[in-house]
């Protein structure tokens, strides 16, 4: 074993050194970005808020789906349990109300005015 100096063949070329330096810079840049993101509390808070928002939207969507399903079940159960004459009368009344909206609105408004006047007189 002798200590021979490195020959030109075993030492890296200038181009190889530039490539190594560029690779090292890229690695260092990624490391710095990773460390900066760990220290950036504001960005972490935004990310966490986005996650929580997504979870809340998911839970809301599932709850709405379940509510819609329960509404359908209740409507079906109501139709099954309600006698036919009652359903027919309710349908007839709904048709009559739709046909006479303006008079019913006028009567409702008049009733509201009367109730408000009575309430105002009681307070005096």
């Amino acid at each position: 074993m002798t200590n021979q100096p490195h020959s030109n063949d075993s030492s890296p070329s200038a181009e190889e050194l530039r490539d190594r330096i560029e690779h090292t810079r890229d690695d260092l840049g990624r490391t710095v970005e990773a460390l900066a993101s760990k220290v950036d509390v504001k960005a972490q808070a935004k990310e966490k808020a986005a996650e929580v928002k997504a979870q809340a939207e998911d839970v809301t969507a599932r709850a709405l789906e379940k509510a819609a399903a329960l509404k359908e079940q209740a409507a079906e159960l109501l139709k099954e349990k309600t006698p036919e004459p009652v359903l027919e009368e309710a349908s007839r009344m709904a048709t009559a109300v739709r046909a006479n909206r303006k008079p019913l609105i006028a009567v409702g408004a008049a009733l509201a005015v009367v109730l408000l006047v009575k309430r105002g007189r009681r307070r005096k």
Side-chain angles (χ1 to χ4, degrees):
M1 285 176 87
T2 60
N3 289 336
Q4 296 177 352
H6 291 287
S7 67
N8 286 343
D9 293 338
S10 66
S11 64
S13 69
E15 185 63 33
E16 289 174 335
L17 287 174
R18 284 187 197 100
D19 289 344
R20 285 184 189 173
I21 290 170
E22 186 63 32
H23 179 73
T24 302
R25 283 181 181 159
D26 289 343
D27 286 347
L28 182 59
R30 284 192 294 274
T31 302
V32 168
E33 286 177 9
L35 290 172
S37 69
K38 286 185 177 183
V39 176
D40 190 358
V41 176
K42 186 176 179 180
Q44 289 178 358
K46 283 183 179 181
E47 188 175 309
K48 185 64 174 177
E51 288 176 16
V52 170
K53 182 181 176 184
Q55 289 175 348
E57 289 172 349
D58 184 44
V59 168
T60 302
R62 283 187 281 155
L64 289 173
E65 288 173 5
K66 189 169 185 176
L70 289 174
K71 178 184 169 186
E72 288 179 24
Q73 288 176 353
E76 287 298 319
L77 184 62
L78 184 63
K79 277 186 179 179
E80 290 174 9
K81 300 293 181 180
T82 305
E84 190 63 33
V86 173
L87 289 175
E88 289 173 2
E89 184 64 22
S91 176
R92 189 182 65 72
M93 292 296 287
T95 303
V97 168
R98 281 189 210 106
N100 299 308
R101 284 185 184 167
K102 288 182 183 178
L104 287 173
I105 291 173
V107 169
L111 181 61
V113 169
V114 168
L115 291 175
L116 288 173
V117 168
K118 281 188 175 184
R119 183 176 167 196
R121 287 184 180 170
R122 266 194 242 149
R123 287 187 177 185
K124 289 182 180 181

